[in-house]
Amino acid sequence: MGETVQLTSAKDGFAFDAWRAPTADARRGGLVVCHAIWGVTPHLRELAEGYAEAGYETLLPSLFDRLQRGFAERDTDPALQSRQMGFGEATRWGADVLDAVQAAIDALAPPVFVMGFCYGGTVAWLASARCMGVSAVSSFYGGQIPDYLDETPRVPTILHLGKTDALIPPASVEAIRAAHPDMPVHMYEAGHAFVAPNGFHGDSANLSRLRTLQLFARTGSGRGEV
């Protein structure tokens, strides 16, 4: 069973919450999961438990704690969407967010992997280029990745995108592929948030999880894109 733990920013000593899911059996590595705008939701805590069962000690850092503390008790709440989008805009994947991700990476024994969804998918993309101590990254439907195509992953990185995702249209996908032609960009018969309850598509969620686990299994460390 998971638990709430506190992590500390190396930059300024700011303490923030994270959800930790320990492995029940043999440990294969550590995993940092970067949440969408909805925060550390029940769905993501359940997802963390699933990766822990697969052998990955998982940390879900609360990336909005500098703005508002506390985990989400619902996966989505339309009444709060404007506020949550505001949190995403306020942070803009900046230094404080990546500092929190780095603190989570540093709290785990290697090898450490990073994954993220939507807002967190862009965070994971930036972590692949800027964070230290990462072995591989799996990014899911990060809508702002096209704004950061000059960032080059320093570790093996894969992207998971939906073919009918209106937030990441075909032109954006082609721009990503043109900027990073050697990086796997997996396309699924789904829209946005196909792993999450509000956009769930079972086949896509299962296949993307399998590809993510395969990436983690073959990359205890790595350089460049594969």
Side-chain angles (χ1 to χ4, degrees), residues 199-213:
F200 186 73
H201 186 265
D203 288 346
S204 300
N206 291 335
L207 180 56
S208 59
R209 184 178 191 273
L210 175 61
R211 285 169 168 161
T212 296
L213 289 172

Side-chain angles (χ1 to χ4, degrees), residues 13-14 17 34 53 64 67 79 96 104 120 134 180 191 195 208 211 217:
F14 178 79
D17 288 341
C34 304
E53 289 176 3
F64 294 158
L67 300 172
D96 288 341
V134 180
H180 300 277
V195 177
S208 59
R211 285 169 168 161

Side-chain angles (χ1 to χ4, degrees), residues 51-108:
Y51 277 94
E53 289 176 3
Y56 297 92
E57 178 188 0
T58 303
L59 282 174
L60 261 162
S62 185
L63 302 177
F64 294 158
D65 264 17
R66 289 181 185 266
L67 300 172
Q68 179 169 315
R69 291 188 178 274
F71 295 161
E73 295 308 318
R74 295 174 60 181
D75 289 316
T76 60
D77 187 341
L80 299 178
Q81 183 167 357
S82 178
R83 185 193 72 180
Q84 298 303 120
M85 291 291 290
F87 289 164
E89 287 295 322
T91 56
R92 294 296 297 177
W93 310 278
D96 288 341
V97 168
L98 289 177
D99 187 63
V101 174
Q102 187 66 62
I105 294 167
D106 294 343
L108 293 165

Side-chain angles (χ1 to χ4, degrees), residues 177-193:
R177 285 177 161 158
H180 300 277
D182 296 327
M183 180 177 61
V185 179
H186 299 294
M187 302 299 298
Y188 299 85
E189 300 293 340
H192 192 68

Side-chain angles (χ1 to χ4, degrees), residues 92-93 118-119 121-126 130 139-153 159-161 165-180 183 185 187 192:
R92 294 296 297 177
W93 310 278
C118 191
Y119 168 88
T122 303
V123 173
W125 169 258
L126 292 176
R130 301 185 190 179
S139 170
F140 292 73
Y141 35 85
Q144 300 303 313
I145 290 176
D147 294 341
Y148 297 95
L149 292 181
D150 57 339
E151 306 272 354
T152 298
L159 304 188
H160 309 279
L161 306 175
D165 187 344
L167 299 179
I168 311 174
S172 294
V173 176
E174 290 310 309
I176 293 170
R177 285 177 161 158
H180 300 277
M183 180 177 61
V185 179
M187 302 299 298
H192 192 68

